[in-house]
Amino acid sequence: MASVHERIPWHKGEDVMHRELHVPYQENPTTPFLTPNAAFLVSTAPLLALGTLDDHGRPWTTLLGGEAGFIRPLGGSILGIRNPVDSVYDPVIKILLGNKDDGDSVEHSNKHRAVAALTIDLATRSRYKLAGKVVAGALVQLDGGLDEARMPLMEAQVVLKVEQSLGNCPKYLNKKRIVSMIPKPVLISDALPLPVEALELLAKADLFFITSSYEGLSMSTNHRGGPQGFVRVMQNDRSGTILIYPEYSGNRLYQTLGNLCVSPQAGIVVPDFDNGNALYMTGTTEIAIGEDAAALLPRSNLAVKVHVEKAWLVKNGSSFRAQKGEPSPYNPPVRFLVTERAGTDAQSANDRVVYAKLTKKELLTPSIGRFRFSISDPEAAWRWEPGQYVALAFEDELGAGYSHMRDDDPLSLNDDLVRTFTVSSSVRGNLPKDQFEVTIRNVGKVTNFLFRQNVRAGLEIPIKGFAGTFAIKQPDGEVVPFIAGGIGITPLLAQLPDLDLGRTKLLWTINVRDIGLVVDTFDRCPQLATSTILYISGGADAAVRGQELQTMPRLEQYGAQILQRRMVASDVQGYQGLSTTWYICAGPKLRQALLPWLTDKKVVHEDFDY
């Protein structure tokens, strides 16, 4: 049953950022309690970024965790946290739990000690923002007594009341597998300028966590990620330390920037997932927009400068390590300072730039086409798997460069022009290993650009990577039901050679204007037709009806069952006994209609909501 709750309004800082960046009005999606989805992720995620304010109103951030289960929902939006911590140097632990003796409880009144948090699972790129208050906490000495430096090994026990929660997209998160460790902290530096070890950490960091507040009344903790080295050091000497990072396009809520617009202080932790070191910083920020951002970081439309005021670098202060996994295909190139590389546009920390060259274009309908690409460096590119998508970067071709506000196209200010397309060619097909195909609909700026391309022009687009996990599994003796909405047939096309089509049931809803896609699919794989039920709609127009009448006999010859109407619940429910697992690739509206019809089934659907 859907919950009913009072909407949380945008505050004045968020309103300012929305106006500055021409964001169309939308309601604040933040929920004033711990949602079931948030509670589930909290209990399964191995990391929690936690932020609060010190007695001077300065934000600080830490990163806790190591393994799933260190946080437990206790009911009523209450969370219980138990985790080994650095009780000596971790600024957030010191603020929340102080220097109490072993086991002494610290209780906080409802008027004090607001906190924000981000629960995150880097293996799945799942994350949820939380905000609330610390109700109580304590430091307890762990069994094992003292570390090598004769310092006690401590566990933090914190009770947190969640007053806000918000799910977020996984954009710019690089996958990592987290393993737990016991912190054994040693202070490397607590002074500015930053030492060499801190600069080396920043140079390789692909993720940090930032805490901000709105006039001390509410707080937000979030992540910022990208390629290694996306945080640049503008200055680090006796006169000051200044960092800068680009704000990539995201969900356009601008909650962190809205806070910083009004209360510019920020607390940052940069974890070293290799050795457990942690760089804690707090300072004052400046937001740069449009030309101001591009003047600092070329090709950036939005950037944040951080004037670091205090910093602690702690060796082995974290309760986790990580094994690197798949990088995010959405990571833009590293954007170097003007003073570092004038005119240079680096692809990434990896100098091997990989391009996809357009070699063939076929129009299947007026709005659907198949595009074939060859890969410039197959060894450097990630080899795709069936059911994955490719991320292509069109910034060089369509980017706005150094433009500031553009009233004619305001969305371009934050559009990184990275697009994902499901690979529709099979890994085991007839194409050479250095080639792949995508079948796409012309729906916007980037796809329109592709549809207008002349193959002889030799268009080359940087490949950001292959990703996704929409693999169709067909256990022995079981039938695989697949529901496709229009162009949603593409992930199935890539996996047809791997399936027994006699044990596949395709329910395909299509507009008559897209009949050309159906004809092409059956021409290339006639065996699929006999396993297909087509639901054809949109034939009210006389000209369209004429096209339908001409094509229908051809489709019937293939052996497909054709119904000239929309799909309804009974169509799906009539095949409930086929399998306990159903696959769906459809637009949001059709997917929302389908899910209630399959309530007792495991539904696997393609979801690239970055």
Side-chain angles (χ1 to χ4, degrees):
M1 180 180 295
S3 61
V4 178
H5 56 82
E6 184 177 349
R7 292 284 183 181
I8 297 175
W10 300 112
H11 63 61
K12 63 182 180 182
E14 294 164 334
D15 284 337
V16 168
M17 293 307 302
H18 294 165
R19 288 196 301 270
E20 286 286 327
L21 298 174
H22 293 206
V23 178
Y25 178 77
Q26 59 179 317
E27 298 227 354
N28 189 339
T30 305
T31 304
F33 53 85
L34 182 70
T35 66
N37 287 340
F40 174 78
L41 182 59
V42 160
S43 63
T44 58
L47 292 176
L48 181 80
L50 185 64
T52 193
L53 304 177
D54 65 17
D55 292 337
H56 301 283
R58 298 174 301 200
W60 293 91
T61 311
T62 189
L63 188 60
L64 308 177
E67 58 185 1
F70 78 99
I71 310 174
R72 295 182 60 188
L74 304 178
S77 293
I78 301 294
L79 299 177
I81 304 170
R82 298 184 61 172
N83 196 74
V85 294
D86 163 16
S87 62
V88 181
Y89 304 112
D90 186 320
V92 174
I93 297 301
K94 292 176 66 177
I95 294 168
L96 296 180
L97 303 179
N99 297 313
K100 290 288 185 179
D101 294 334
D102 180 19
D104 282 357
S105 176
V106 179
E107 295 186 3
H108 297 280
S109 71
N110 291 333
K111 296 181 180 180
H112 297 91
R113 212 49 77 198
V115 295
L118 181 78
T119 181
I120 188 167
D121 186 347
L122 292 174
T124 61
R125 298 190 175 114
S126 302
R127 64 189 179 107
Y128 238 95
K129 290 179 62 180
L130 309 171
K133 292 183 173 66
V134 168
V135 178
L139 284 171
V140 178
Q141 187 166 331
L142 290 170
D143 293 339
L146 307 176
D147 64 14
E148 290 89 342
R150 308 298 296 173
M151 298 295 292
L153 303 177
M154 306 299 291
E155 178 184 78
Q157 299 180 1
V158 178
V159 179
L160 170 64
K161 178 175 177 55
V162 177
E163 298 174 341
Q164 295 183 12
S165 62
L166 173 65
N168 256 333
C169 68
K171 214 170 186 180
Y172 315 120
L173 284 174
N174 304 303
K175 286 189 174 182
K176 293 177 173 61
R177 190 175 75 84
I178 303 298
V179 295
S180 62
M181 300 290 287
I182 295 295
K184 299 178 180 178
V186 176
L187 182 65
I188 297 176
S189 172
D190 61 356
L192 293 172
L194 295 174
V196 172
E197 296 92 333
L199 299 178
E200 291 174 345
L201 172 54
L202 289 170
K204 72 174 185 177
D206 62 5
L207 177 66
F208 70 84
F209 298 88
I210 181 170
T211 295
S212 58
S213 78
Y214 170 64
E215 297 183 335
L217 302 175
S218 62
M219 299 187 65
S220 173
T221 296
N222 212 335
H223 93 282
R224 291 296 184 265
Q228 288 185 329
F230 77 103
V231 179
R232 311 308 299 169
V233 180
M234 295 185 66
Q235 179 180 333
N236 187 49
D237 53 35
R238 291 183 178 180
S239 60
T241 296
I242 304 174
L243 311 179
I244 187 169
Y245 67 89
E247 283 281 345
Y248 302 134
S249 66
N251 57 21
R252 297 169 64 80
L253 301 182
Y254 298 116
Q255 293 177 319
T256 297
L257 295 188
N259 286 347
L260 298 180
C261 180
V262 176
S263 304
Q265 293 76 27
I268 290 173
V269 61
V270 185
D272 191 324
F273 289 97
D274 296 329
N275 56 30
N277 294 357
L279 175 60
Y280 303 101
M281 297 178 287
T282 190
T284 303
T285 64
E286 295 180 55
I287 302 172
I289 301 175
E291 291 177 351
D292 293 336
L296 300 170
L297 288 175
R299 311 197 67 162
S300 296
N301 288 313
L302 198 56
V304 176
K305 291 170 61 177
V306 182
H307 297 258
V308 181
E309 296 166 357
K310 285 188 174 297
W312 299 336
L313 179 61
V314 181
K315 178 181 178 181
N316 200 17
S318 302
S319 59
F320 54 83
R321 304 290 186 272
Q323 298 174 356
K324 292 182 180 179
E326 178 185 70
S328 171
Y330 285 87
N331 285 341
V334 171
R335 296 171 184 174
F336 291 92
L337 296 166
V338 172
T339 54
E340 291 180 298
R341 298 190 180 187
T344 298
D345 181 24
Q347 172 77 6
S348 65
N350 180 356
D351 292 334
R352 299 179 71 177
V353 183
V354 182
Y355 292 92
K357 181 178 181 180
L358 181 62
T359 61
K360 188 175 182 179
K361 178 178 73 172
E362 299 175 83
L363 295 183
L364 308 180
T365 77
S367 63
I368 296 177
R370 181 166 52 241
F371 298 82
R372 183 178 300 175
F373 295 90
S374 62
I375 302 173
S376 64
D377 190 346
E379 292 184 1
W382 285 74
R383 180 62 173 166
W384 71 94
E385 300 292 336
Q388 289 195 313
Y389 57 86
V390 61
L392 301 175
F394 290 84
E395 186 178 19
D396 289 343
E397 302 294 334
L398 300 173
Y402 292 93
S403 63
H404 191 198
M405 293 310 226
R406 296 187 62 191
D407 291 333
D408 61 327
D409 188 12
L411 294 181
S412 67
L413 187 66
N414 298 296
D415 189 353
D416 57 14
L417 295 170
V418 175
R419 296 293 188 271
T420 59
F421 303 113
T422 301
V423 177
S424 58
S425 55
S426 170
V427 174
R428 300 197 296 110
N430 297 324
L431 293 181
K433 292 184 178 180
D434 65 343
Q435 296 185 16
F436 66 92
E437 291 178 338
V438 297
T439 304
I440 60 177
R441 186 185 297 278
N442 188 354
V443 292
K445 181 177 182 179
V446 170
T447 51
N448 185 54
F449 171 75
L450 282 176
F451 271 73
R452 291 187 288 104
Q453 286 300 304
N454 187 322
V455 174
R456 290 177 294 180
L459 173 69
E460 290 187 326
I461 301 295
I463 297 177
K464 308 308 294 180
F466 295 91
T469 57
F470 194 60
I472 301 172
K473 299 178 181 179
Q474 190 175 46
D476 292 341
E478 292 191 17
V479 175
V480 172
F482 189 103
I483 302 177
I487 198 71
I489 192 70
T490 51
L492 179 63
L493 299 181
Q495 301 178 70
L496 289 176
D498 303 314
L499 298 174
D500 178 356
L501 298 183
R503 294 189 292 112
T504 302
K505 176 59 68 174
L506 171 62
L507 309 181
W508 190 1
T509 176
I510 195 116
N511 189 285
V512 66
R513 293 177 173 83
D514 297 332
I515 285 292
L517 173 62
V518 181
V519 172
D520 177 80
T521 298
F522 290 166
D523 280 345
R524 293 170 65 125
C525 186
Q527 303 93 327
L528 179 63
T530 57
S531 300
T532 301
I533 301 177
L534 281 175
Y535 301 87
I536 303 176
S537 61
D541 182 82
V544 175
R545 173 64 65 179
Q547 172 191 352
E548 181 180 356
L549 292 175
Q550 292 177 6
T551 309
M552 207 65 65
R554 186 174 177 183
L555 295 179
E556 291 173 344
Q557 289 176 2
Y558 280 115
Q561 181 180 348
I562 301 173
L563 300 173
Q564 298 183 53
R565 60 172 174 80
R566 295 182 181 275
M567 184 185 297
V568 296
S570 58
D571 295 320
V572 175
Q573 292 165 350
Y575 291 99
Q576 290 272 6
L578 287 179
S579 176
T580 57
T581 302
W582 284 63
Y583 294 85
I584 296 176
C585 186
K589 289 185 178 180
L590 178 57
R591 188 168 67 232
Q592 291 172 8
L594 290 169
L595 292 177
W597 304 344
L598 297 166
T599 53
D600 61 339
K601 304 296 181 184
K602 176 184 177 182
V603 177
V604 181
H605 59 86
E606 189 175 36
D607 186 0
F608 302 146
D609 299 333
Y610 282 82

